[in-house]
Amino acid sequence: MLSAVGWAAQTALAQPETDPLWEIGIGAFGLVAPDYPASGESAFNGLALPYGIYRGEVLRVDDEDGARVVPVETQAYELSLSAGAAFGARSEGRGVREGMPDLDPLIELGPQVIFRGPGFGPETRRGRIDLALQARVVASLDVDTGSVAYRGLVVEPELAARWPDALGAGTELRASVGPVFATEALQAYFYDVRPRFVRAGRPAYEAQGGYLGTDLVVSLSYDLTQRFTAFGGVSAASHAGAANRASPLFEEDLTGAAFLGVAVILSESARRVPRRWADR
């Protein structure tokens, strides 16, 4: 995220209403988060890898909403296919899951509808609130064998706000909140205790589908130059009233997470495309 704030302000004001069709860069980030929803154990995970951004008419891979396919987009709404992912967690030495199988990384894919909401703030720093309705298929990935296993469905209605230049030129403040509902299969992946894993203080338990929790995320990004961005954020998850609070693997009603990272653009296309509704 330029050492001279004045330069950043000038570039932000001069930025055209277009973006490169594609960008290639390197990014790195670290995340401290619970092993799974309502876990009392947290772990640090990090990644450093090349990344690509593509702003096509239908196929999009960007820093705004991740990877998605957008067949329909208007000023009022967007219909798209989106993806997500989550780190796995080891069970060895991890309290209530000691002796149980590890949790593999999760990948998600499914449709979403985003309704463009009202704007707020001054005209030169206009923010916006959107409502997203998401439903995704969840699968786990065994990194040792490369096998993929179906883990259920998740539904996440989300109210999200973004505010460009909220804390000065080159910054963008984001916040989102929404409940999470999961099918029995996914809840079982987190909270089931099968008879062979029963031990003192960990009785058998069969999970049920329903409410998983409510997530609140606040993040801030800062463009130090046109090619170098730093970002970070915190999140809180409330699991009070969750469907599987009776599971011996359910430990905390309130959990938190934090992340921090950087991204550097190494190359970009000469061709530029009009800025999408989502980015205006």
Side-chain angles (χ1 to χ4, degrees):
M1 267 178 161
L2 199 206
S3 54
V5 175
W7 187 92
Q10 291 176 5
T11 53
L13 290 173
Q15 186 178 24
E17 289 298 308
T18 63
D19 290 305
L21 175 62
W22 57 261
E23 298 173 9
I24 296 175
I26 295 178
F29 75 96
L31 167 71
V32 177
D35 288 353
Y36 57 91
S39 172
E41 301 276 355
S42 293
F44 173 82
N45 287 284
L47 280 178
L49 71 171
Y51 73 90
I53 289 176
Y54 184 76
R55 302 181 178 93
E57 287 289 337
V58 176
L59 176 62
R60 315 249 179 99
V61 182
D62 59 33
D63 55 354
E64 301 295 336
D65 298 295
R68 65 200 195 280
V69 177
V70 188
V72 179
E73 181 182 29
T74 72
Q75 187 174 3
Y77 64 89
E78 170 190 311
L79 175 62
S80 57
L81 184 69
S82 64
F87 286 107
R90 299 188 62 83
S91 295
E92 183 179 355
R94 305 300 286 175
V96 296
R97 289 195 60 88
E98 177 72 40
M100 297 185 67
D102 293 340
L103 296 173
D104 290 327
L106 298 177
I107 51 179
E108 303 176 5
L109 181 67
Q112 69 174 356
V113 180
I114 300 176
F115 297 98
R116 310 290 182 208
F120 61 90
E123 201 62 39
T124 55
R125 294 184 294 132
R126 196 68 171 163
R128 195 186 67 239
I129 299 175
D130 294 338
L131 173 63
L133 305 178
Q134 303 170 338
R136 290 174 172 173
V137 174
V138 183
S140 60
L141 173 64
D142 188 321
V143 294
D144 294 326
T145 65
S147 61
V148 176
Y150 171 76
R151 296 299 178 184
L153 300 170
V154 64
V155 176
E156 300 180 64
E158 178 185 81
L159 195 64
R162 52 176 296 199
W163 193 357
D165 297 335
L167 302 180
T171 66
E172 180 166 277
L173 183 64
R174 288 174 171 256
S176 65
V177 62
V180 182
F181 302 90
T183 59
E184 181 179 323
L186 183 57
Q187 300 266 17
Y189 189 62
F190 297 135
Y191 302 119
D192 260 12
V193 179
R194 298 181 180 178
R196 67 178 181 273
F197 298 120
V198 169
R199 70 176 190 184
R202 191 171 69 197
Y205 183 81
E206 186 173 342
Q208 58 183 321
Y211 176 60
L212 183 62
T214 295
D215 294 334
L216 171 65
V217 183
V218 179
S219 65
L220 177 68
S221 65
Y222 183 31
D223 297 329
L224 288 174
T225 73
Q226 289 182 316
R227 290 181 176 265
F228 182 63
T229 299
F231 58 89
V234 295
S235 69
S238 171
H239 303 284
N244 292 286
R245 292 187 74 252
S247 169
L249 304 181
F250 186 106
E251 296 183 277
E252 301 290 341
D253 279 338
L254 183 64
T255 59
F259 60 92
L260 187 66
V262 295
V264 181
I265 299 172
L266 301 179
S267 182
E268 64 181 38
S269 67
R271 178 184 171 187
R272 303 186 72 87
V273 295
R275 186 157 296 172
R276 310 297 177 186
W277 294 111
D279 304 325
R280 294 179 184 177

